[in-house]
Amino acid sequence: MDTHTNITEPRKYHPAAHALHRQMVAVRRTMSAATVEESQAAARWAQAWYQLVQRKLEDLQHAPRYLH
C-alpha cells in the first residue's frame, strides 16, 4: 500500500492577487481582535497591504499590452 501523498507546487498567484488576499486577512484580524492593541496592529498591516495592492494595480495599469 502506497501511503505517499502527492505534494504539489503552490500556485503562483499574481503579486496583486497575493497582496489583496493578505489585505483581506489583515482586515479580518482587525475585526476579530480581542484587544485594542491587537486591532490597531492588524489595522496597520491592513493599511500597508492596501497600499501595496494599489501600487501593484497601478503597475498593471501601466504595463504594456500585447495582442495575441
Side-chain angles (χ1 to χ4, degrees):
M1 181 171 154
D2 185 10
T3 59
H4 177 75
T5 58
N6 291 335
I7 299 175
T8 59
E9 290 289 321
R11 289 184 182 180
K12 301 291 182 187
Y13 292 108
H14 190 280
H18 174 73
L20 185 60
H21 173 75
R22 296 304 303 169
Q23 178 189 356
M24 180 184 67
V25 170
V27 168
R28 286 181 179 164
R29 283 184 49 219
T30 302
M31 294 186 307
S32 66
T35 65
V36 172
E37 293 80 14
E38 188 178 324
S39 177
Q40 289 172 339
R44 285 191 298 272
W45 276 106
Q47 179 63 27
W49 282 111
Y50 171 79
Q51 291 172 354
L52 182 61
V53 167
Q54 295 307 308
R55 195 165 52 243
K56 295 294 181 184
L57 290 175
E58 286 175 12
D59 291 347
L60 274 177
Q61 192 174 24
H62 299 297
R65 303 276 189 239
Y66 297 102
L67 299 175
H68 294 265

mmCIF file of all heavy atoms in Angstrom, residues 25-59:
data_model
loop_
_atom_site.group_PDB
_atom_site.id
_atom_site.type_symbol
_atom_site.label_atom_id
_atom_site.label_comp_id
_atom_site.label_asym_id
_atom_site.label_seq_id
_atom_site.Cartn_x
_atom_site.Cartn_y
_atom_site.Cartn_z
ATOM 1 N N VAL A 25 -6.992 39.194 4.884
ATOM 2 C CA VAL A 25 -6.671 38.512 6.140
ATOM 3 C C VAL A 25 -6.444 39.531 7.254
ATOM 4 O O VAL A 25 -6.934 39.367 8.383
ATOM 5 C CB VAL A 25 -5.436 37.594 5.961
ATOM 6 C CG1 VAL A 25 -4.941 37.065 7.292
ATOM 7 C CG2 VAL A 25 -5.755 36.449 5.012
ATOM 8 N N ALA A 26 -5.719 40.600 6.949
ATOM 9 C CA ALA A 26 -5.444 41.630 7.957
ATOM 10 C C ALA A 26 -6.726 42.336 8.390
ATOM 11 O O ALA A 26 -6.898 42.639 9.579
ATOM 12 C CB ALA A 26 -4.428 42.641 7.408
ATOM 13 N N VAL A 27 -7.639 42.586 7.449
ATOM 14 C CA VAL A 27 -8.914 43.218 7.806
ATOM 15 C C VAL A 27 -9.708 42.291 8.724
ATOM 16 O O VAL A 27 -10.285 42.737 9.729
ATOM 17 C CB VAL A 27 -9.724 43.580 6.542
ATOM 18 C CG1 VAL A 27 -11.154 43.961 6.889
ATOM 19 C CG2 VAL A 27 -9.032 44.718 5.793
ATOM 20 N N ARG A 28 -9.733 41.010 8.406
ATOM 21 C CA ARG A 28 -10.436 40.051 9.274
ATOM 22 C C ARG A 28 -9.832 40.023 10.668
ATOM 23 O O ARG A 28 -10.547 39.951 11.662
ATOM 24 C CB ARG A 28 -10.403 38.654 8.655
ATOM 25 C CG ARG A 28 -11.324 38.501 7.481
ATOM 26 C CD ARG A 28 -11.271 37.109 6.933
ATOM 27 N NE ARG A 28 -12.174 36.963 5.815
ATOM 28 C CZ ARG A 28 -12.126 35.979 4.958
ATOM 29 N NH1 ARG A 28 -11.227 35.011 5.087
ATOM 30 N NH2 ARG A 28 -12.976 35.918 3.951
ATOM 31 N N ARG A 29 -8.500 40.072 10.728
ATOM 32 C CA ARG A 29 -7.838 40.108 12.040
ATOM 33 C C ARG A 29 -8.199 41.377 12.799
ATOM 34 O O ARG A 29 -8.365 41.349 14.017
ATOM 35 C CB ARG A 29 -6.320 40.025 11.873
ATOM 36 C CG ARG A 29 -5.817 38.632 11.558
ATOM 37 C CD ARG A 29 -4.303 38.571 11.505
ATOM 38 N NE ARG A 29 -3.696 39.189 12.655
ATOM 39 C CZ ARG A 29 -2.586 39.928 12.615
ATOM 40 N NH1 ARG A 29 -1.968 40.135 11.478
ATOM 41 N NH2 ARG A 29 -2.098 40.451 13.708
ATOM 42 N N THR A 30 -8.314 42.480 12.088
ATOM 43 C CA THR A 30 -8.695 43.746 12.722
ATOM 44 C C THR A 30 -10.075 43.633 13.349
ATOM 45 O O THR A 30 -10.301 44.049 14.487
ATOM 46 C CB THR A 30 -8.691 44.895 11.688
ATOM 47 O OG1 THR A 30 -7.387 44.991 11.111
ATOM 48 C CG2 THR A 30 -9.055 46.216 12.326
ATOM 49 N N MET A 31 -11.003 43.065 12.609
ATOM 50 C CA MET A 31 -12.388 42.970 13.086
ATOM 51 C C MET A 31 -12.560 41.958 14.217
ATOM 52 O O MET A 31 -13.450 42.113 15.048
ATOM 53 C CB MET A 31 -13.315 42.612 11.925
ATOM 54 C CG MET A 31 -13.397 43.708 10.891
ATOM 55 S SD MET A 31 -14.606 43.434 9.585
ATOM 56 C CE MET A 31 -14.187 41.825 8.981
ATOM 57 N N SER A 32 -11.717 40.935 14.248
ATOM 58 C CA SER A 32 -11.888 39.897 15.268
ATOM 59 C C SER A 32 -10.883 40.003 16.410
ATOM 60 O O SER A 32 -10.780 39.092 17.228
ATOM 61 C CB SER A 32 -11.779 38.519 14.619
ATOM 62 O OG SER A 32 -10.468 38.315 14.126
ATOM 63 N N ALA A 33 -10.160 41.100 16.487
ATOM 64 C CA ALA A 33 -9.135 41.264 17.513
ATOM 65 C C ALA A 33 -9.752 41.278 18.911
ATOM 66 O O ALA A 33 -10.838 41.815 19.121
ATOM 67 C CB ALA A 33 -8.356 42.547 17.269
ATOM 68 N N ALA A 34 -9.033 40.688 19.827
ATOM 69 C CA ALA A 34 -9.514 40.612 21.209
ATOM 70 C C ALA A 34 -9.206 41.881 21.999
ATOM 71 O O ALA A 34 -9.909 42.198 22.960
ATOM 72 C CB ALA A 34 -8.895 39.402 21.895
ATOM 73 N N THR A 35 -8.163 42.585 21.598
ATOM 74 C CA THR A 35 -7.775 43.798 22.326
ATOM 75 C C THR A 35 -7.642 44.973 21.354
ATOM 76 O O THR A 35 -7.512 44.779 20.141
ATOM 77 C CB THR A 35 -6.420 43.609 23.044
ATOM 78 O OG1 THR A 35 -5.402 43.439 22.057
ATOM 79 C CG2 THR A 35 -6.453 42.416 23.984
ATOM 80 N N VAL A 36 -7.651 46.151 21.908
ATOM 81 C CA VAL A 36 -7.483 47.355 21.093
ATOM 82 C C VAL A 36 -6.108 47.353 20.437
ATOM 83 O O VAL A 36 -5.969 47.694 19.254
ATOM 84 C CB VAL A 36 -7.669 48.619 21.961
ATOM 85 C CG1 VAL A 36 -7.306 49.872 21.176
ATOM 86 C CG2 VAL A 36 -9.086 48.699 22.481
ATOM 87 N N GLU A 37 -5.088 46.960 21.188
ATOM 88 C CA GLU A 37 -3.725 46.937 20.651
ATOM 89 C C GLU A 37 -3.617 45.981 19.477
ATOM 90 O O GLU A 37 -2.992 46.287 18.455
ATOM 91 C CB GLU A 37 -2.710 46.548 21.742
ATOM 92 C CG GLU A 37 -2.561 47.571 22.839
ATOM 93 C CD GLU A 37 -3.669 47.495 23.894
ATOM 94 O OE1 GLU A 37 -4.413 46.495 23.925
ATOM 95 O OE2 GLU A 37 -3.796 48.458 24.662
ATOM 96 N N GLU A 38 -4.221 44.815 19.617
ATOM 97 C CA GLU A 38 -4.197 43.831 18.535
ATOM 98 C C GLU A 38 -4.943 44.364 17.311
ATOM 99 O O GLU A 38 -4.497 44.198 16.174
ATOM 100 C CB GLU A 38 -4.851 42.536 19.023
ATOM 101 C CG GLU A 38 -4.724 41.369 18.073
ATOM 102 C CD GLU A 38 -5.353 40.115 18.643
ATOM 103 O OE1 GLU A 38 -5.279 39.896 19.865
ATOM 104 O OE2 GLU A 38 -5.929 39.355 17.842
ATOM 105 N N SER A 39 -6.041 45.032 17.546
ATOM 106 C CA SER A 39 -6.818 45.623 16.454
ATOM 107 C C SER A 39 -6.017 46.714 15.745
ATOM 108 O O SER A 39 -6.016 46.792 14.515
ATOM 109 C CB SER A 39 -8.121 46.200 17.001
ATOM 110 O OG SER A 39 -8.845 46.828 15.985
ATOM 111 N N GLN A 40 -5.336 47.552 16.505
ATOM 112 C CA GLN A 40 -4.543 48.627 15.910
ATOM 113 C C GLN A 40 -3.386 48.069 15.082
ATOM 114 O O GLN A 40 -3.098 48.563 13.992
ATOM 115 C CB GLN A 40 -4.024 49.562 16.993
ATOM 116 C CG GLN A 40 -5.105 50.403 17.623
ATOM 117 C CD GLN A 40 -4.609 51.186 18.827
ATOM 118 O OE1 GLN A 40 -3.601 50.851 19.445
ATOM 119 N NE2 GLN A 40 -5.346 52.244 19.171
ATOM 120 N N ALA A 41 -2.736 47.041 15.593
ATOM 121 C CA ALA A 41 -1.633 46.425 14.854
ATOM 122 C C ALA A 41 -2.141 45.802 13.552
ATOM 123 O O ALA A 41 -1.530 45.974 12.486
ATOM 124 C CB ALA A 41 -0.940 45.370 15.715
ATOM 125 N N ALA A 42 -3.251 45.093 13.627
ATOM 126 C CA ALA A 42 -3.821 44.472 12.429
ATOM 127 C C ALA A 42 -4.274 45.544 11.432
ATOM 128 O O ALA A 42 -4.121 45.367 10.221
ATOM 129 C CB ALA A 42 -4.984 43.559 12.808
ATOM 130 N N ALA A 43 -4.808 46.646 11.929
ATOM 131 C CA ALA A 43 -5.233 47.732 11.049
ATOM 132 C C ALA A 43 -4.030 48.344 10.323
ATOM 133 O O ALA A 43 -4.134 48.709 9.142
ATOM 134 C CB ALA A 43 -5.970 48.801 11.841
ATOM 135 N N ARG A 44 -2.902 48.447 10.998
ATOM 136 C CA ARG A 44 -1.688 48.960 10.336
ATOM 137 C C ARG A 44 -1.253 48.011 9.222
ATOM 138 O O ARG A 44 -0.857 48.446 8.140
ATOM 139 C CB ARG A 44 -0.564 49.166 11.352
ATOM 140 C CG ARG A 44 -0.759 50.401 12.222
ATOM 141 C CD ARG A 44 0.475 50.735 13.034
ATOM 142 N NE ARG A 44 0.845 49.685 13.968
ATOM 143 C CZ ARG A 44 0.385 49.581 15.214
ATOM 144 N NH1 ARG A 44 -0.481 50.464 15.669
ATOM 145 N NH2 ARG A 44 0.779 48.598 16.003
ATOM 146 N N TRP A 45 -1.324 46.696 9.482
ATOM 147 C CA TRP A 45 -0.988 45.707 8.456
ATOM 148 C C TRP A 45 -1.960 45.816 7.291
ATOM 149 O O TRP A 45 -1.562 45.773 6.125
ATOM 150 C CB TRP A 45 -1.020 44.290 9.019
ATOM 151 C CG TRP A 45 0.254 43.908 9.689
ATOM 152 C CD1 TRP A 45 0.484 43.796 11.021
ATOM 153 C CD2 TRP A 45 1.494 43.594 9.057
ATOM 154 N NE1 TRP A 45 1.788 43.445 11.252
ATOM 155 C CE2 TRP A 45 2.428 43.304 10.068
ATOM 156 C CE3 TRP A 45 1.909 43.532 7.724
ATOM 157 C CZ2 TRP A 45 3.744 42.957 9.784
ATOM 158 C CZ3 TRP A 45 3.215 43.182 7.447
ATOM 159 C CH2 TRP A 45 4.119 42.908 8.471
ATOM 160 N N ALA A 46 -3.253 45.974 7.583
ATOM 161 C CA ALA A 46 -4.253 46.102 6.521
ATOM 162 C C ALA A 46 -3.959 47.324 5.657
ATOM 163 O O ALA A 46 -4.056 47.266 4.425
ATOM 164 C CB ALA A 46 -5.658 46.187 7.117
ATOM 165 N N GLN A 47 -3.587 48.425 6.279
ATOM 166 C CA GLN A 47 -3.265 49.647 5.539
ATOM 167 C C GLN A 47 -2.025 49.443 4.667
ATOM 168 O O GLN A 47 -1.995 49.873 3.513
ATOM 169 C CB GLN A 47 -3.057 50.817 6.499
ATOM 170 C CG GLN A 47 -2.703 52.115 5.825
ATOM 171 C CD GLN A 47 -3.791 52.635 4.897
ATOM 172 O OE1 GLN A 47 -4.959 52.361 5.076
ATOM 173 N NE2 GLN A 47 -3.394 53.378 3.895
ATOM 174 N N ALA A 48 -1.020 48.784 5.209
ATOM 175 C CA ALA A 48 0.198 48.532 4.438
ATOM 176 C C ALA A 48 -0.098 47.643 3.228
ATOM 177 O O ALA A 48 0.381 47.903 2.122
ATOM 178 C CB ALA A 48 1.258 47.880 5.328
ATOM 179 N N TRP A 49 -0.900 46.599 3.438
ATOM 180 C CA TRP A 49 -1.269 45.720 2.323
ATOM 181 C C TRP A 49 -2.115 46.467 1.310
ATOM 182 O O TRP A 49 -1.983 46.274 0.109
ATOM 183 C CB TRP A 49 -1.973 44.462 2.815
ATOM 184 C CG TRP A 49 -1.030 43.444 3.377
ATOM 185 C CD1 TRP A 49 -0.916 43.057 4.672
ATOM 186 C CD2 TRP A 49 -0.043 42.699 2.655
ATOM 187 N NE1 TRP A 49 0.080 42.118 4.801
ATOM 188 C CE2 TRP A 49 0.629 41.882 3.575
ATOM 189 C CE3 TRP A 49 0.340 42.647 1.314
ATOM 190 C CZ2 TRP A 49 1.654 41.011 3.211
ATOM 191 C CZ3 TRP A 49 1.363 41.779 0.947
ATOM 192 C CH2 TRP A 49 2.004 40.985 1.883
ATOM 193 N N TYR A 50 -3.000 47.358 1.777
ATOM 194 C CA TYR A 50 -3.818 48.158 0.875
ATOM 195 C C TYR A 50 -2.924 49.000 -0.043
ATOM 196 O O TYR A 50 -3.147 49.075 -1.255
ATOM 197 C CB TYR A 50 -4.765 49.059 1.675
ATOM 198 C CG TYR A 50 -5.478 50.072 0.814
ATOM 199 C CD1 TYR A 50 -6.583 49.708 0.044
ATOM 200 C CD2 TYR A 50 -5.035 51.389 0.758
ATOM 201 C CE1 TYR A 50 -7.221 50.636 -0.761
ATOM 202 C CE2 TYR A 50 -5.673 52.320 -0.043
ATOM 203 C CZ TYR A 50 -6.756 51.936 -0.802
ATOM 204 O OH TYR A 50 -7.385 52.856 -1.607
ATOM 205 N N GLN A 51 -1.929 49.639 0.539
ATOM 206 C CA GLN A 51 -1.019 50.462 -0.255
ATOM 207 C C GLN A 51 -0.274 49.617 -1.284
ATOM 208 O O GLN A 51 -0.072 50.045 -2.427
ATOM 209 C CB GLN A 51 -0.053 51.200 0.648
ATOM 210 C CG GLN A 51 -0.734 52.263 1.480
ATOM 211 C CD GLN A 51 0.180 52.878 2.529
ATOM 212 O OE1 GLN A 51 1.312 52.445 2.725
ATOM 213 N NE2 GLN A 51 -0.321 53.896 3.210
ATOM 214 N N LEU A 52 0.125 48.409 -0.888
ATOM 215 C CA LEU A 52 0.813 47.524 -1.830
ATOM 216 C C LEU A 52 -0.122 47.096 -2.953
ATOM 217 O O LEU A 52 0.274 47.066 -4.121
ATOM 218 C CB LEU A 52 1.369 46.297 -1.101
ATOM 219 C CG LEU A 52 2.150 45.321 -1.977
ATOM 220 C CD1 LEU A 52 3.367 46.001 -2.600
ATOM 221 C CD2 LEU A 52 2.567 44.106 -1.167
ATOM 222 N N VAL A 53 -1.378 46.781 -2.621
ATOM 223 C CA VAL A 53 -2.356 46.413 -3.651
ATOM 224 C C VAL A 53 -2.494 47.555 -4.653
ATOM 225 O O VAL A 53 -2.461 47.333 -5.875
ATOM 226 C CB VAL A 53 -3.731 46.077 -3.022
ATOM 227 C CG1 VAL A 53 -4.812 46.005 -4.093
ATOM 228 C CG2 VAL A 53 -3.669 44.774 -2.251
ATOM 229 N N GLN A 54 -2.645 48.767 -4.163
ATOM 230 C CA GLN A 54 -2.797 49.910 -5.052
ATOM 231 C C GLN A 54 -1.579 50.079 -5.954
ATOM 232 O O GLN A 54 -1.703 50.348 -7.153
ATOM 233 C CB GLN A 54 -3.053 51.189 -4.247
ATOM 234 C CG GLN A 54 -4.353 51.172 -3.484
ATOM 235 C CD GLN A 54 -5.538 50.846 -4.378
ATOM 236 O OE1 GLN A 54 -5.736 51.463 -5.413
ATOM 237 N NE2 GLN A 54 -6.330 49.874 -3.980
ATOM 238 N N ARG A 55 -0.394 49.909 -5.395
ATOM 239 C CA ARG A 55 0.840 50.038 -6.181
ATOM 240 C C ARG A 55 0.912 48.959 -7.265
ATOM 241 O O ARG A 55 1.255 49.235 -8.413
ATOM 242 C CB ARG A 55 2.051 49.981 -5.251
ATOM 243 C CG ARG A 55 3.322 50.445 -5.902
ATOM 244 C CD ARG A 55 4.429 50.738 -4.920
ATOM 245 N NE ARG A 55 4.700 49.662 -3.983
ATOM 246 C CZ ARG A 55 4.539 49.754 -2.665
ATOM 247 N NH1 ARG A 55 4.091 50.877 -2.124
ATOM 248 N NH2 ARG A 55 4.820 48.746 -1.875
ATOM 249 N N LYS A 56 0.538 47.721 -6.904
ATOM 250 C CA LYS A 56 0.567 46.624 -7.879
ATOM 251 C C LYS A 56 -0.456 46.855 -8.988
ATOM 252 O O LYS A 56 -0.200 46.575 -10.154
ATOM 253 C CB LYS A 56 0.312 45.279 -7.204
ATOM 254 C CG LYS A 56 1.383 44.858 -6.218
ATOM 255 C CD LYS A 56 2.682 44.597 -6.916
ATOM 256 C CE LYS A 56 3.735 44.148 -5.920
ATOM 257 N NZ LYS A 56 5.047 43.976 -6.565
ATOM 258 N N LEU A 57 -1.629 47.357 -8.628
ATOM 259 C CA LEU A 57 -2.652 47.628 -9.633
ATOM 260 C C LEU A 57 -2.219 48.757 -10.569
ATOM 261 O O LEU A 57 -2.476 48.700 -11.778
ATOM 262 C CB LEU A 57 -3.981 47.960 -8.968
ATOM 263 C CG LEU A 57 -4.662 46.782 -8.269
ATOM 264 C CD1 LEU A 57 -5.915 47.254 -7.551
ATOM 265 C CD2 LEU A 57 -4.974 45.652 -9.236
ATOM 266 N N GLU A 58 -1.544 49.766 -10.033
ATOM 267 C CA GLU A 58 -1.008 50.835 -10.877
ATOM 268 C C GLU A 58 0.043 50.278 -11.834
ATOM 269 O O GLU A 58 0.086 50.660 -13.009
ATOM 270 C CB GLU A 58 -0.421 51.949 -10.030
ATOM 271 C CG GLU A 58 -1.453 52.806 -9.348
ATOM 272 C CD GLU A 58 -0.829 53.836 -8.412
ATOM 273 O OE1 GLU A 58 0.407 54.039 -8.449
ATOM 274 O OE2 GLU A 58 -1.595 54.440 -7.635
ATOM 275 N N ASP A 59 0.884 49.379 -11.326
ATOM 276 C CA ASP A 59 1.890 48.748 -12.188
ATOM 277 C C ASP A 59 1.212 47.992 -13.333
ATOM 278 O O ASP A 59 1.661 48.046 -14.476
ATOM 279 C CB ASP A 59 2.771 47.788 -11.390
ATOM 280 C CG ASP A 59 3.687 48.497 -10.414
ATOM 281 O OD1 ASP A 59 3.829 49.740 -10.509
ATOM 282 O OD2 ASP A 59 4.259 47.799 -9.541
#
